[in-house]
């Protein structure tokens, strides 16, 4: 009979069975930020707009910081009187992420202005010629906007160490060998 199939009995788990999925844990820098945090900080207008303009990220290796983690870092308040090395590291990381997020607004401004100027300069042509040129100029405008944003926010004169601190991921996969 079809309904009376002998299903195999499920295997009993032993204490030594391995995990089939990776476990995501906070990184070392995130733990340090939580340790030094003394309250919440309200985000500014351009910080919110910069975070709004960031695309969502699919994490495969957790090697980059995404917009939710940027928001979490920016919303932490640190003691201004604390001059320890750990406090200086988290403050520099927060400032570098703030510059990165605010400079992201310039990417969209550059893309929009280049697309608008292209639309205006092709005003005497038909719409098909505008539509052919528009995506290429829009994409080129993102690079111009990034360069202008980095110059305006001072990211081009920032130490590489600070930019590296800003690029550290907030979450990593748990590594039992490194623990």
């Amino acid at each position: 009979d079809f309904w009376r199939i002998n299903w195999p009995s499920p295997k009993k788990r032993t204490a030594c069975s391995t995990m089939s999925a990776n476990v995501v844990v906070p990184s070392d820098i995130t733990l340090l930020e939580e340790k030094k945090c003394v309250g919440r900080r309200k985000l500014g207008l351009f910080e919110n707009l910069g975070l709004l303009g960031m695309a969502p990220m699919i994490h495969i290796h957790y090697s980059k910081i995404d917009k939710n983690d940027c928001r979490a870092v920016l919303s932490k308040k640190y003691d201004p009187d604390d001059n320890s090395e750990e406090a200086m590291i988290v403050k520099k990381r927060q400032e570098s992420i703030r510059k990165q997020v605010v400079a992201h607004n310039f990417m969209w401004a550059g893309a929009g202005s280049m697309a608008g100027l292209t639309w205006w300069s092709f005003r005497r042509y038909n719409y098909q010629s505008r539509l052919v040129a528009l995506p290429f100029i829009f994409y080129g405008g993102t690079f111009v906007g990034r360069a202008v944003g980095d110059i305006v926010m001072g990211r081009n004169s920032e130490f590489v160490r600070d930019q590296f601190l800003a690029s550290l991921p907030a979450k990593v996969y748990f590594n039992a060998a490194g623990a």
Side-chain angles (χ1 to χ4, degrees):
D1 188 46
F2 179 74
W3 301 107
R4 296 179 190 257
I5 298 174
N6 287 332
W7 295 101
S9 62
K11 294 181 181 178
K12 293 189 177 194
R13 292 186 178 249
T14 62
C16 297
S17 64
T18 60
M19 292 187 295
S20 62
N22 293 324
V23 178
V24 179
V25 296
S27 65
D28 295 338
I29 191 76
T30 305
L31 295 175
L32 184 63
E33 287 170 350
E34 287 296 327
K35 179 182 173 184
K36 292 294 179 179
C37 180
V38 294
R40 305 287 297 168
R41 176 182 166 269
K42 188 174 181 202
L43 298 182
L45 174 67
F46 292 114
E47 292 170 347
N48 277 321
L49 284 176
L51 289 169
L52 185 66
M54 288 184 177
M57 186 179 298
I58 298 173
H59 289 288
I60 297 172
H61 299 290
Y62 282 97
S63 60
K64 295 181 181 177
I65 188 166
D66 63 351
K67 71 177 186 177
N68 295 325
D69 296 332
C70 284
R71 183 180 305 275
V73 170
L74 290 175
S75 64
K76 290 183 174 109
K77 185 193 287 185
Y78 302 110
D79 185 13
D81 297 330
D82 189 2
N83 291 326
S84 65
E85 288 294 322
E86 296 89 4
M88 297 308 289
I89 287 174
V90 295
K91 288 176 189 175
K92 287 186 181 208
R93 173 176 159 88
Q94 186 182 45
E95 180 61 22
S96 184
I97 289 175
R98 187 192 69 78
K99 287 180 182 180
Q100 175 186 349
V101 167
V102 174
H104 195 78
N105 294 319
F106 287 89
M107 182 193 78
W108 290 109
S113 62
M114 295 281 276
L117 288 172
T118 302
W119 195 263
W120 181 78
S121 64
F122 279 47
R123 66 189 180 277
R124 299 190 186 272
Y125 297 92
N126 57 6
Y127 75 94
Q128 292 95 345
S129 60
R130 292 180 190 173
L131 292 178
V132 166
L134 196 67
F136 301 106
I137 302 298
F138 181 87
Y139 185 62
T142 61
F143 291 100
V144 172
R146 281 186 204 143
V148 170
D150 287 349
I151 292 169
V152 169
M153 291 307 301
R155 290 194 71 217
N156 60 339
S157 64
E158 193 175 33
F159 287 113
V160 176
R161 174 190 162 191
D162 297 342
Q163 289 182 357
F164 174 73
L165 282 173
S167 69
L168 288 174
K171 300 177 199 117
V172 293
Y173 287 122
F174 178 69
N175 185 3

